[in-house]
Amino acid sequence: MRLKQLTLQNYRNIAHAEFIPCAELTVICGKNGQGKTNLLESVWLLTGAKSFRGAKDPELIARNQPFAVLDGITETSEEQTSHIYLTVGTKETPRPGRTAKRNGVDLGRASNLAGIFTAVVFEPGNLSLIKGSPEGRRRFLDAALCQLYPGYLTTLRRYTRLVTQKNALLKHYDRTPGAAEMLDVFDEDLARQGEEITRRRMDYMNRMLPLVRHNYDEISSGSEQMELVYRPSFDEQGLLSMLHQSRRADLRAGFCTTGPHREDFDVLLDGQPAKLFASQGQQRSAVLSLKLAEASCAQQVTGEHPVMLLDDVLSELDATRQEYLLTRMRQKQTIVTACDSSLFHKTEGELFRMDGGVLQKL
Ligand SMILES: Nc1ncnc2c1ncn2[C@@H]1O[C@H](COP(=O)(O)OP(=O)(O)OP(=O)(O)O)[C@@H](O)[C@H]1O
Ligand SMILES: [Mg+2]
């Protein structure tokens, strides 16, 4: 997958920009607050997903303007080009919110772009994948699986709904006639959907594991080894048996205490939990290894390697790790932002400078 060009109008602090990234590595440098992440975020929006910074649509439009325009051309490895025309309008405009056209055909909501242009983003907030709550790690797996297998989202929604319904029943258990029988029915359906979710997640982990190990080995020049261990909520006896075993605990707690919605995976560096021991640079390297593996998995499943968008990935990495990223990330299109201009001479990629929302090729 490749972004060939992107023209922006009134996107955040960028009044107008023409961005033609290189086929391999492109580095956007500039001081703080100049619009580097804004540019990366605009590329990400072409995937049809929401802002990776959690921004609401009106925040994407330059202040005091009615709408922003993102006009891009993407190309698959089989040279199929798409002209993506995305607008973000304020409530007052004829086209409010994020809407899109592809090759002149109106798609309606921008989320309908899903699958046309694919990208994987690393942004500093992703560091919580290592030290943050299990929920973030589950979200990482689920988001990747939803993109790869459309049926996964349906299963996940169904499972989540069942958990909510079961929780409501557990809360009002004593006052609900036939509650025990109802729990049995819930548990059977929960076990079916839940086992499917866990199986998909574990398959995905198995697919990712060799890639993650390899990536981390390269980034760290072999100085540490990274491992992932998925912790399912049930053993070979299955989820239903686990649900039966945890019924007392569920009734005491008033919510469903076991199942994929409580699962997690461990990230280990040289056998030690990264959550407790990893340094800043090691956390960054570990998240980067996960993100690069996510992209490789997408390529294995869909045949298309997503564009890599790496926001502020270089800070806290030592010179060897930075050099790996700047000189060895080849073949795949990668767009990196960085503040430190001394990194310039290390890269053979193309360089741009962002200064007060003005993009300039160096
Ligand atoms: N809707 C908007 N309209 C105008 N300016 C905006 C809008 N949204 C954000 N900005 C401005 O964009 C700038 C931030 O840009 P961005 O986050 O891309 O910076 P950056 O170059 O990535 O900086 P850093 O190196 O600190 O990460 C801020 O000055 C902010 O005020
Ligand atoms: Mg930034």
Side-chain angles (χ1 to χ4, degrees):
M1 187 58 73
R2 189 176 156 193
L3 175 68
K4 297 199 75 168
Q5 67 173 77
L6 177 61
T7 306
L8 298 178
Q9 269 176 49
N10 294 331
Y11 185 79
R12 291 199 184 258
N13 72 333
I14 306 170
H16 180 84
E18 301 267 347
F19 179 43
I20 302 184
C22 148
E24 295 179 350
L25 181 67
T26 302
V27 183
I28 320 279
C29 63
K31 294 186 187 146
N32 294 133
Q34 300 303 308
K36 303 181 297 296
T37 306
N38 293 347
L39 178 67
L40 216 61
E41 179 186 45
S42 71
V43 176
W44 170 254
L45 290 182
L46 299 181
T47 64
K50 290 189 222 153
S51 158
F52 55 74
R53 290 196 276 194
K56 299 206 178 80
D57 291 341
E59 296 163 25
L60 307 173
I61 309 166
R63 283 178 208 120
N64 305 319
Q65 294 293 329
F67 56 88
V69 179
L70 295 77
D71 190 347
I73 296 182
T74 64
E75 189 183 74
T76 65
S77 55
E78 305 204 313
E79 296 186 1
Q80 194 195 14
T81 58
S82 291
H83 176 189
I84 298 175
Y85 185 86
L86 195 151
T87 56
V88 194
T90 57
K91 274 195 205 126
E92 294 74 33
T93 54
R95 276 175 85 90
R98 266 181 311 127
T99 55
K101 289 182 187 165
R102 179 206 195 181
N103 298 338
V105 179
D106 199 341
L107 299 179
R109 282 192 300 171
S111 56
N112 294 327
L113 286 168
I116 298 170
F117 172 70
T118 54
V120 165
V121 62
F122 168 97
E123 52 97 17
N126 293 141
L127 293 170
S128 64
L129 264 177
I130 306 298
K131 298 232 171 177
S133 67
E135 194 189 348
R137 284 182 288 279
R138 287 192 295 267
R139 218 180 308 119
F140 166 74
L141 290 178
D142 290 339
L145 284 163
C146 283
Q147 289 207 2
L148 296 183
Y149 310 103
Y152 186 80
L153 180 62
T154 316
T155 313
L156 192 63
R157 282 194 177 143
R158 179 149 189 195
Y159 178 81
T160 311
R161 202 173 50 234
L162 283 165
V163 170
T164 313
Q165 289 170 339
K166 181 173 166 181
N167 285 348
L169 179 60
L170 285 166
K171 267 205 194 78
H172 303 111
Y173 190 82
D174 294 333
R175 282 175 279 148
T176 312
E181 293 73 23
M182 279 163 81
L183 272 186
D184 286 340
V185 176
F186 274 135
D187 281 354
E188 269 185 34
D189 210 3
L190 272 171
R192 251 194 317 273
Q193 313 299 329
E195 282 188 5
E196 171 71 8
I197 290 169
T198 304
R199 185 182 65 78
R200 284 276 190 201
R201 286 186 188 160
M202 291 181 78
D203 284 353
Y204 187 67
M205 288 298 266
N206 288 336
R207 195 188 272 276
M208 272 214 305
L209 190 55
L211 300 162
V212 163
R213 283 188 188 131
H214 173 80
N215 293 339
Y216 197 91
D217 192 56
E218 291 241 301
I219 295 171
S220 71
S221 312
S223 60
E224 303 111 35
Q225 285 185 329
M226 178 168 167
E227 287 293 329
L228 301 174
V229 184
Y230 194 79
R231 305 233 172 264
S233 51
F234 55 93
D235 54 18
E236 56 284 346
Q237 291 183 355
L239 181 54
L240 189 58
S241 139
M242 207 52 178
L243 289 170
H244 287 154
Q245 285 177 47
S246 54
R247 183 157 297 183
R248 275 163 157 249
D250 286 359
L251 284 167
R252 225 176 301 127
F255 60 86
C256 188
T257 59
T258 192
H261 64 293
R262 309 272 288 178
E263 289 171 356
D264 194 6
F265 64 87
D266 292 338
V267 178
L268 304 174
L269 294 181
D270 278 347
Q272 297 298 318
K275 197 179 200 155
L276 305 178
F277 298 109
S279 72
Q280 307 274 62
Q282 286 173 327
Q283 286 176 59
R284 225 162 245 268
S285 308
V287 172
L288 200 55
S289 303
L290 280 169
K291 289 283 172 175
L292 295 173
E294 180 188 346
S296 307
C297 285
Q299 182 175 28
Q300 286 179 6
V301 176
T302 67
E304 205 65 59
H305 193 285
V307 174
M308 300 299 305
L309 305 175
L310 310 178
D311 190 26
D312 204 7
V313 74
L314 300 170
S315 42
E316 291 165 351
L317 292 184
D318 62 35
T320 329
R321 292 182 194 215
Q322 286 185 349
E323 202 154 315
Y324 164 75
L325 280 173
L326 289 175
T327 60
R328 278 188 282 170
M329 295 262 298
R330 284 301 178 83
Q331 293 125 30
K332 324 286 186 225
Q333 190 178 41
T334 306
I335 306 173
V336 182
T337 68
C339 290
D340 183 359
S341 54
S342 68
L343 299 163
F344 293 173
H345 60 267
K346 286 188 188 161
T347 166
E348 289 172 26
E350 283 192 15
L351 293 171
F352 288 80
R353 184 195 300 280
M354 184 61 95
D355 194 0
V358 178
L359 184 69
Q360 190 194 353
K361 190 160 187 284
L362 294 176

